Amino acid sequence: MGSCTSWAVRAALLAGVLLVSGGSAAIAAIPPAFDSSLPRSSGEGAIEPGQANPSPLHHGPPEGHLPPTQQNLELVGRLEPTGAFGDVEPGQLADVAVHKGWAYLNSWDDPECQRGGTYVIDIRNPAAPREAGFIPAQFPYYHGEGAHVVSLNTPAFQGDVLAVNNETYGDNVGTGACLPAPLAAGQFGGFDLYDVTNPETPVPLALTAGDRDRDGDGAPEQPAPNAYHSVFVWQDGPRAFLVGVDNPEETDVDIFDITNPRAPVQVGDFDLDVKFPQILNGENANGDNVLHHDTVVKRIDGRMVMKADYWDAGYVQLDVSDP
């Protein structure tokens, strides 16, 4: 599913800071239309500002979308990360996070169960972005629309943390042929945490963490955590937390205490459809697709507020001062 929670940030990246492209500025589950007439960077240099404009169909066909607009934006730099696999495929890049002049681009899977991971791009000089590395996802997972980087200062950790979601190969491309049993039978993955205080030498903190209890009985019966579609991290006082969108469960709002990011502890597992049944009221939705897709947490008027997006149905706001 295409993420729609941070278009302002993405527009700034695409048109004002960095346009990362393998023939597309892909931040959508639907493979975007590809304007092959646009110039492609070799990965080393920049293009002239204003040399090319992004395709107006970069987010799929016009049906079902608001008409595109572009105001007060200027393309100043562009890069195609090619170091890990060669040319980036259309639709491969799923999400982008920016922190302290570095961009982290999540990479989806392909039919050969490859390309899952995160590109690390140096954008401290926006006119000349530089590919600095690639963090491979743990097989058989890939990262989707859950890239988030924050600076944490807790009693257990001080530094910059990259959080990425994990989904199972085959979820996106429709085949589980290259998966080991029993993973081919379900959606697994959880989330990963990396220390990116030095972005060029990322250090794993926690790999494939997440909720392993799919049936709600409290017993960790699964071989791996549930697949997460996106993740978001915040700090409140001395404690830090992560919220994940749990793909297969009805209790799809999972909250973890990551005060010690090397040892995440689940503290919440919620089904907001039960707390707010109007989420499923199709008459009030702007369409017929209702699913928990993205989550953002911000401090508003002195308290931590979570905004959980439910696609066509709208969103729910929650006070998460006590997660």
Side-chain angles (χ1 to χ4, degrees):
M1 303 298 171
S3 177
C4 299
T5 59
S6 54
W7 286 110
V9 174
R10 289 170 180 174
L13 285 172
L14 292 176
V17 180
L18 170 68
L19 179 57
V20 182
S21 173
S24 70
I27 311 173
I30 303 172
F34 173 31
D35 186 349
S36 59
S37 66
L38 299 184
R40 295 157 69 98
S41 165
S42 65
E44 296 297 332
I47 65 172
E48 293 297 323
Q51 181 174 343
N53 292 319
S55 167
L57 298 181
H58 71 278
H59 196 343
E63 292 79 11
H65 293 79
L66 295 174
T69 61
Q70 180 171 309
Q71 295 178 333
N72 302 322
L73 300 175
E74 179 184 357
L75 176 64
V76 298
R78 183 173 181 175
L79 171 72
E80 177 185 1
T82 60
F85 308 101
D87 292 346
V88 172
E89 296 182 356
Q92 179 182 334
L93 301 182
D95 203 4
V96 58
V98 173
H99 191 66
K100 294 182 177 179
W102 294 81
Y104 301 84
L105 290 82
N106 276 1
S107 178
W108 263 341
D109 59 340
D110 62 15
E112 286 73 42
C113 292
Q114 299 180 15
R115 297 178 180 263
T118 302
Y119 291 97
V120 181
I121 310 296
D122 182 352
I123 59 170
R124 289 173 293 182
N125 180 358
R130 176 181 65 89
E131 181 177 356
F134 182 80
I135 308 171
Q138 301 296 298
F139 185 83
Y141 306 122
Y142 67 91
H143 304 325
E145 294 164 41
H148 193 207
V149 188
V150 296
S151 295
L152 295 184
N153 185 6
T154 75
F157 181 86
Q158 298 82 43
D160 300 329
V161 173
L162 165 67
V164 291
N165 72 308
N166 284 320
E167 295 179 283
T168 313
Y169 278 125
D171 289 356
N172 181 39
V173 298
T175 176
C178 52
L179 301 183
L183 294 181
Q187 296 183 345
F188 300 101
F191 62 89
D192 299 340
L193 300 175
Y194 292 90
D195 182 348
V196 291
T197 306
N198 182 345
E200 297 195 73
T201 58
V203 178
L205 297 170
L207 300 177
T208 62
D211 185 1
R212 294 173 179 258
D213 179 18
R214 183 168 300 184
D215 53 16
D217 62 3
E221 301 171 349
Q222 296 183 158
N226 298 332
Y228 283 7
H229 186 69
S230 66
V231 292
F232 190 90
V233 175
W234 74 99
Q235 182 168 346
D236 187 13
R239 301 176 69 189
F241 301 94
L242 175 146
V243 58
V245 175
D246 189 323
N247 283 349
E249 275 197 309
E250 291 294 326
T251 52
D252 55 8
V253 180
D254 292 357
I255 301 179
F256 290 80
D257 186 324
I258 60 166
T259 302
N260 179 359
R262 297 177 180 87
V265 177
Q266 188 166 6
V267 296
D269 195 7
F270 304 107
D271 181 359
L272 296 190
D273 299 352
V274 174
K275 295 178 179 293
F276 302 96
Q278 57 267 45
I279 291 173
L280 301 179
N281 186 347
E283 295 179 357
N284 293 331
N286 194 36
D288 59 1
N289 195 359
V290 177
L291 72 159
H292 181 206
H293 186 272
D294 276 298
T295 314
V296 175
V297 179
K298 292 184 178 180
R299 186 179 300 278
I300 301 175
D301 295 332
R303 61 178 179 172
M304 304 308 297
V305 177
M306 175 181 292
K307 175 176 175 282
D309 290 311
Y310 280 83
W311 208 251
D312 290 337
Y315 62 88
V316 173
Q317 284 187 222
L318 304 168
D319 184 334
V320 290
S321 300
D322 179 1

